[in-house]
Amino acid sequence: MAEAKVNGSLAVPNVQALAETCNGPDEQIPQRYVRTEASSGEVISNCHDNVAAPIIDLNKLLAAQSSEEECVKLRSACQNLGLFQLINHGVPDEVIGNFKRDIVEFFSQPLDAKKEYSQLPNNLEGYGQVFVVSEDQKLDWGDMMYLTVHPSDLRDLRFWPTYPASFRQSIDAYSSETKGLARCILEFMVKAIGAEPELLLGIFEEQARGMRMNYYPPCKQADKVLGLSPHTDATGLTLLLQVNDVQGLQIKKDGKWFSVNALNDALIVNIGDTLEVLSNGKFRSVEHRAVIHPNKERISVALFHYPCENLVLSPLPEFVEDGKVHYRSMRYQDFLKQMLTAQLDGKNRLEKLKLEQ
Ligand code: OGA
Ligand code: NI
């Protein structure tokens, strides 16, 4: 079995191109994409009150008279689900509109044009796929484009598309307009559970941010494939933007999958493993996956917020009650390496850090 390099992934076929050849009436999808788990088990959709993705209004959090009530909703979302959708988030419509338009345009180019930005060996940035570590592993029905967007001196412009002409500018604008947002949300989250935010905020202050654009082609046998395998995000907060109006995100709660009905104007906020460990389990990192539409493409962008590089992942003292530490310590870099050199595996990586009580 071939080993993935520490920071790279084995090369896999381009799924957008593959979808064009195997979506004909008589074609079958290759076995490597057929996933029995995709259609096994019930998926709960159309649930009332958006139980799988509660709506949190940033304006209400910010206004003195409504803040307390909104914080109660926020606390419940962070403790029970690990995901919510944020409305009135303050990122200008124009910035989001330009960014979405350019992403759609980028992916609609011929394969050769996109391949100019292909990942290079031992490098996660660029166009391709991640988390592929063995030649016989099942594959996800999707392509990705990953860029480090912050700090700006770590941007590797070799991978920053020059078409459409405004793309670099629209990525930059989206990145700067969301810059303060994760900090602001995190501050409310910590206050909502009655703790002091300084220590936790300090761990993410001015740290790296990475952007993953996910392209999920349609598949006529959509119930046999998965766009993105079940996983939790290893980092702090993730802001997820659904680029076109095709739904596909699902979260797991109490052993069941729930579809997320993403609102057009919302940003989806995911809690990652780092926040679960630092908060000693007060925040829940959410297991999620992406499914595929039978005849429409789906595009999303995940913006990951990394903690400081030399972090030792361990519950912060202020979240430890009665001496009960729920997670063992591990260097964050080792944790991340574990994630990037293995197949996505639901919430198992985090479960291994949990201490028996
Ligand atoms: C991710 C992710 C979900 C989606 O990129 O980590 O979970 O809906 N994406 O594309
Ligand atoms: Ni994710």
Side-chain angles (χ1 to χ4, degrees):
M1 187 195 297
E3 296 276 328
K5 297 274 176 10
V6 170
N7 282 317
S9 177
L10 297 177
V12 293
N14 181 272
V15 184
Q16 193 174 358
L18 180 68
E20 277 160 24
T21 63
C22 70
N23 266 336
D26 304 321
E27 302 296 330
Q28 291 299 317
I29 50 171
Q31 277 303 314
R32 266 191 105 184
Y33 296 89
V34 176
R35 318 282 288 262
T36 46
E37 73 272 32
S39 54
S40 67
E42 186 191 2
V43 174
I44 300 161
S45 51
N46 298 325
C47 28
H48 62 94
D49 288 346
N50 274 304
V51 273
I55 297 162
I56 303 291
D57 185 336
L58 183 59
N59 278 351
K60 287 193 184 163
L61 285 173
L62 291 165
Q65 71 277 19
S66 47
S67 194
E68 205 170 311
E69 202 183 323
E70 203 63 6
C71 271
V72 173
K73 279 169 71 184
L74 178 63
R75 181 173 68 206
S76 156
C78 294
Q79 291 184 330
N80 301 323
L81 287 173
L83 176 140
F84 53 93
Q85 6 192 1
L86 191 72
I87 57 167
N88 292 318
H89 44 66
V91 182
D93 288 349
E94 198 194 343
V95 167
I96 293 189
N98 291 342
F99 182 48
K100 287 181 172 179
R101 181 204 59 218
D102 287 351
I103 295 175
V104 172
E105 183 69 21
F106 172 78
F107 283 114
S108 70
Q109 295 176 93
L111 181 58
D112 281 349
K114 288 174 294 207
K115 279 204 160 160
E116 304 238 331
Y117 304 99
S118 288
Q119 289 165 337
L120 298 170
N122 304 329
N123 194 334
L124 276 181
E125 291 204 58
Y127 184 55
Q129 185 51 279
V130 287
F131 313 117
V132 184
V133 295
S134 111
E135 297 294 351
D136 42 32
Q137 171 186 337
K138 289 284 182 182
L139 297 178
D140 287 345
W141 191 260
D143 307 314
M144 294 175 175
M145 171 80 179
Y146 182 81
L147 300 173
T148 297
V149 291
H150 186 85
S152 43
D153 56 349
L154 287 187
R155 290 180 178 180
D156 190 339
L157 292 179
R158 287 178 301 174
F159 300 108
W160 283 55
T162 52
Y163 181 87
S166 52
F167 202 11
R168 287 182 172 190
Q169 158 62 27
S170 58
I171 295 172
D172 184 60
Y174 180 74
S175 168
S176 7
E177 289 291 346
T178 47
K179 185 162 186 261
L181 191 57
R183 185 188 195 282
C184 170
I185 302 166
L186 197 52
E187 190 167 351
F188 277 116
M189 283 167 50
V190 180
K191 285 183 181 159
I193 60 165
E196 288 300 323
E198 280 69 28
L199 214 51
L200 196 64
L201 287 179
I203 291 172
F204 294 93
E205 201 76 78
E206 276 308 315
Q207 298 303 323
R209 281 181 288 132
M211 180 185 276
R212 182 155 75 208
M213 302 173 216
N214 300 298
Y215 181 88
Y216 305 108
C219 179
K220 64 170 185 175
Q221 292 168 294
D223 58 345
K224 294 214 170 100
V225 298
L226 278 180
L228 188 54
S229 298
H231 67 284
T232 52
D233 296 347
T235 46
L237 283 184
T238 305
L239 297 182
L240 189 79
L241 174 70
Q242 211 159 256
V243 173
N244 54 355
D245 56 6
V246 181
Q247 306 285 352
L249 177 64
Q250 297 183 343
I251 65 165
K252 199 173 201 179
K253 180 168 157 48
D254 304 329
K256 294 196 186 101
W257 287 105
F258 289 76
S259 319
V260 168
N261 187 21
L263 301 179
N264 229 338
D265 295 331
L267 285 171
I268 297 170
V269 183
N270 283 355
I271 296 180
D273 297 342
T274 302
L275 282 177
E276 178 167 327
V277 176
L278 289 172
S279 70
N280 202 22
K282 290 254 180 340
F283 297 137
R284 211 186 128 85
S285 113
V286 61
E287 181 172 351
H288 53 288
R289 68 180 186 182
V291 297
I292 293 298
H293 193 280
N295 43 43
K296 290 185 193 167
E297 64 181 15
R298 176 168 181 265
I299 305 178
S300 69
V301 182
L303 187 59
F304 303 106
H305 293 74
Y306 291 84
C308 54
E309 251 181 336
N310 56 2
L311 177 73
V312 175
L313 203 48
S314 177
L316 294 173
E318 66 176 305
F319 296 105
V320 177
E321 282 160 17
D322 306 324
K324 288 194 183 125
V325 175
H326 298 307
Y327 302 82
R328 71 183 94 248
S329 303
M330 183 172 198
R331 282 178 48 223
Y332 175 73
Q333 285 304 328
D334 295 336
F335 186 68
L336 199 61
K337 202 177 287 180
Q338 260 186 15
M339 174 175 197
L340 294 172
T341 50
Q343 197 166 326
L344 289 177
D345 188 19
K347 214 169 170 173
N348 285 338
R349 194 170 9 89
L350 185 63
E351 290 298 323
K352 288 193 191 118
L353 286 185
K354 273 202 182 149
L355 293 166
E356 300 290 331
Q357 296 297 323

